[in-house]
Amino acid sequence: MYQALYRKYRPKTFDEVVGQTSVTQTLKTQLITGKLSHAYLFTGSRGTGKTSCAKILAKAVNCLDPQDGNPCNCCAACQAIESGSCMDVLEIDAASNNGVDNVRSLRDDAIYAPAEVKKRVYIIDEVHMLSISAFNALLKIIEEPPEHLLFILATTELHKVPATILSRCQRFSFRRLTAKDIAGRINYAAYEEGIDLDPEAALLLSRLADGALRDGMSLLDQCATASAGKVTLQSVYDCLGLAGAKNAARMLALTAEKNTRAALELLDDQYAAGKDLSAMLGELLSLCRDLLILKTAPNAGPGMLTGVCTDEEIRTLLPHFTPAELLRLTKLLQDTSAGFQKSANRRIDAELCIMQMCDPALSLDAASLSARLAKVEQAVASGVLPAPAVQTPPPVQAEQPAAVKQAPAPKPAAPAEPQEEALPMNFWADFTAQVRAQVQPSARGFFTPTENGTLHPMLQGSTLLLQTGYPLVHQILDDPAMLQLLGRIASGLLGRPLQVRLVRREQAGSREKLEQLLQFGREHRDIVTIEKNT
């Protein structure tokens, strides 16, 4: 029966584990010195070797002939554990056995001594899927297990594991594998299986694995089956439905040329050929990321590139884009890819994305405007566009002979009066409230909260004009101390130095005349009273 490559080439010793030297070396040292813990917690992303190391550790602690911390894989204990027939080494999937009853059953069975090997080992995969009650039921036996018992927990989501469990385990973090490590293991498996694997295809498969060796081996298995043992770069593109690096580079070149029609035709050709739209946008996104890294960090960038395109293609595209433009394209591609999950028509979304990529004028957001401005600045700096002309003063005329009558010099133009500015909303209400709280009671009545009262404010430059048609109001308020107080309050509200000046209106209505009569009556109150009594 055919066995998948990732299962067939699963490591059987710590030395065969790829890219986890710090973890495997520590475990080997503990096995050699006999300083084993009673509970281990393996964390890390998928396909990095957590379950494989758990099985190797289970074999190593029970091996009858260990070799430098590695299991021999030849003794009866190693053979039984490898085949899965050993009843004392149990691998439990917490995703399907996450109830408290399952953990209680495990706890009741764990107290019995092993029947076939030296230690009873429980490997609990995806331990974060256990319920809170199940974790609580597991606490006591993990903290003080019998001497014959060993727990190995594995999880991809460490933040979901309670702190009470973390504090009872030795934790080992498995890092993502590099593309170089994955490519080396893929090439080894291809050689052992007699698969003709091109180096470019191996590099592409290792990049698509995204740090997971299991994913890389599965992709190799799929491509080798589809191409009858001959795996080339093009066969990987065809088998996995990818647009290909050349098409991604061509699409980005058309974007730089603002050739929307040709870009849409290329998208339509790839869509008709069965290419996945998400994969196409993903390749464009990776290419934009590589170009942005080379633009912003040219010295440190090459080691961080994804390798989606060759160095020659990247060098060709690099001069046509500014960092602001690449940021705009990256954000646009990210938003479009994220919206695919809820989209009713992915093709329309992809076409709209290509249109906006080719023509920044279709978007009026800040990123698009910044990209367009950066493009103009680059064109001016490179000489493609002329720089704006700088006006120079006219040359000095030579002195004319004395006999020639000089024309009278023109009179200097009068300085333009400052224009009226709009006052902020609620300014007058706040202004009058503060003034009424600080002036004498006799002057409070002049400062009403509405602008239709006695005083009418108007802001001109650094002066706040208070217009009034009443001579009495002008006479009382036209005092240096009063104007200084009003200026200080207005400056505090508007956040800039202001002076206050009183201005009389040219036209005074009937209300002003009435006020004058009332004032006359107040001044001659005694005379009026005497005449009335007489």
Side-chain angles (χ1 to χ4, degrees):
M1 183 177 179
Y2 181 75
Q3 191 175 21
L5 293 182
Y6 79 88
R7 294 181 58 194
K8 186 175 182 180
Y9 291 94
R10 170 170 278 175
K12 294 180 173 57
T13 63
F14 288 119
D15 295 336
E16 294 179 5
V17 178
V18 177
Q20 309 295 345
T21 306
S22 60
V23 176
T24 56
Q25 189 61 42
T26 303
L27 292 175
K28 286 172 61 178
T29 303
Q30 290 185 356
L31 287 164
I32 293 172
T33 58
K35 297 180 179 179
L36 287 171
S37 175
H38 60 277
Y40 292 89
L41 177 63
F42 294 164
T43 69
S45 58
R46 70 184 193 281
T48 52
K50 300 185 297 298
T51 305
S52 298
C53 284
K55 292 183 176 181
I56 295 172
L57 181 59
K59 289 189 295 183
V61 297
N62 291 304
C63 182
L64 302 178
D65 185 21
Q67 300 177 2
D68 193 22
N70 288 307
C72 66
N73 292 312
C74 297
C75 65
C78 291
Q79 293 285 345
I81 296 173
E82 182 67 26
S83 62
S85 60
C86 182
M87 299 181 61
D88 295 319
V89 177
L90 302 177
E91 185 175 356
I92 302 171
D93 178 22
S96 55
N97 299 278
N98 56 1
V100 65
D101 294 335
N102 302 110
V103 175
R104 287 173 179 170
S105 176
L106 179 151
R107 187 180 58 186
D108 295 339
D109 296 339
I111 61 176
Y112 298 106
E116 303 179 18
V117 292
K118 293 183 290 185
K119 275 186 174 291
R120 181 184 290 270
V121 182
Y122 285 94
I123 302 174
I124 305 178
D125 204 4
E126 302 298 333
V127 71
H128 64 272
M129 299 293 290
L130 291 178
S131 62
I132 298 299
S133 57
F135 273 123
N136 293 332
L138 197 61
L139 283 178
K140 188 60 178 179
I141 193 168
I142 284 186
E143 183 178 11
E144 298 177 357
E147 293 184 0
H148 62 267
L149 195 60
L150 175 64
F151 281 99
I152 306 175
L153 315 180
T155 179
T156 56
E157 300 184 27
L158 181 63
H159 61 280
K160 293 184 179 181
V161 180
T164 51
I165 296 292
L166 296 178
S167 62
R168 290 165 169 81
C169 302
Q170 281 193 9
R171 185 170 62 189
F172 290 87
S173 298
F174 287 69
R175 66 181 185 88
R176 281 183 187 273
L177 301 182
T178 63
K180 182 179 179 181
D181 293 336
I182 296 176
R185 190 65 176 176
I186 286 176
N187 282 317
Y188 170 76
Y191 173 78
E192 293 291 330
E193 293 294 318
I195 300 172
D196 189 1
L197 178 63
D198 289 349
E200 296 84 0
L203 183 61
L204 177 60
L205 291 174
S206 62
R207 181 180 61 83
L208 295 175
D210 193 24
L213 181 56
R214 181 172 60 241
D215 292 0
M217 298 293 287
S218 298
L219 292 174
L220 173 63
D221 200 354
Q222 179 181 350
C223 294
T225 304
S227 58
K230 175 68 175 178
V231 181
T232 62
L233 192 62
Q234 188 59 42
S235 66
V236 174
Y237 290 143
D238 295 337
C239 179
L240 301 181
L242 303 177
K246 293 187 179 298
N247 289 326
R250 183 184 172 193
M251 180 69 76
L252 212 56
L254 294 174
T255 301
E257 298 172 2
K258 305 295 185 289
N259 194 342
T260 308
R261 176 180 177 180
L264 290 176
E265 290 177 351
L266 178 59
L267 177 66
D268 183 68
D269 293 340
Q270 297 300 313
Y271 183 77
K275 306 300 181 183
D276 183 59
L277 292 176
S278 299
M280 294 170 60
L281 295 186
E283 290 180 349
L284 285 173
L285 183 59
S286 298
L287 182 54
C288 289
R289 173 192 174 275
D290 291 349
L291 293 173
L292 183 59
I293 288 178
L294 290 178
K295 277 286 187 180
T296 55
N299 296 328
M304 302 169 61
L305 301 184
T306 60
V308 67
C309 283
T310 62
D311 294 340
E312 182 180 357
E313 291 170 336
I314 290 181
R315 284 195 301 269
T316 304
L317 292 170
L318 200 58
H320 298 286
F321 294 95
T322 62
E325 179 70 10
L326 291 171
L327 278 174
R328 182 185 74 87
L329 296 178
T330 302
K331 178 64 174 173
L332 180 58
L333 289 168
Q334 280 184 326
D335 293 342
T336 305
S337 299
F340 271 179
Q341 297 179 355
K342 300 180 180 179
S343 175
N345 193 323
R346 292 189 175 186
R347 181 178 181 179
I348 294 179
D349 291 346
E351 289 173 345
L352 292 176
C353 177
I354 296 300
M355 292 178 189
Q356 295 182 50
M357 288 174 60
C358 294
D359 190 359
L362 295 177
S363 301
L364 296 179
D365 56 345
S368 300
L369 295 177
S370 176
R372 293 165 63 185
L373 180 60
K375 196 72 173 180
V376 174
E377 292 175 347
Q378 184 185 34
V380 172
S382 60
V384 178
L385 292 177
V390 179
Q391 295 183 356
T392 57
V396 180
Q397 300 290 337
E399 294 185 1
Q400 298 181 359
V404 180
K405 186 178 181 180
Q406 298 289 341
K411 296 181 179 180
E417 295 184 0
Q419 299 293 327
E420 180 181 355
E421 302 180 25
L423 287 168
M425 186 179 297
N426 298 329
F427 166 77
W428 185 247
D430 298 338
F431 177 76
T432 55
Q434 294 190 25
V435 171
R436 290 169 63 89
Q438 300 184 39
V439 299
Q440 297 295 329
S442 58
R444 292 176 185 172
F446 302 138
F447 296 94
T448 57
T450 61
E451 297 184 6
N452 298 325
T454 306
L455 298 172
H456 302 270
M458 183 174 67
L459 182 62
Q460 288 186 351
S462 60
T463 303
L464 178 64
L465 302 178
L466 298 180
Q467 304 178 77
T468 178
Y470 304 102
L472 176 63
V473 177
H474 189 280
Q475 180 181 358
I476 294 177
L477 298 183
D478 193 9
D479 178 71
M482 174 66 73
L483 295 179
Q484 185 178 4
L485 172 63
L486 299 179
R488 185 168 63 253
I489 295 175
S491 301
L493 290 175
L494 294 181
R496 56 175 176 165
L498 293 173
Q499 60 179 351
V500 177
R501 187 160 57 91
L502 292 172
V503 179
R504 289 192 60 181
R505 290 188 175 182
E506 296 180 358
Q507 297 180 355
S510 58
R511 185 174 181 180
E512 180 182 359
K513 295 180 180 179
L514 177 61
E515 182 64 27
Q516 291 177 355
L517 292 174
L518 293 175
Q519 178 63 20
F520 178 81
R522 284 192 291 268
E523 292 176 353
H524 301 81
R525 183 181 302 170
D526 296 338
I527 300 175
V528 175
T529 304
I530 294 171
E531 292 179 354
K532 184 178 179 181
N533 295 333
T534 304

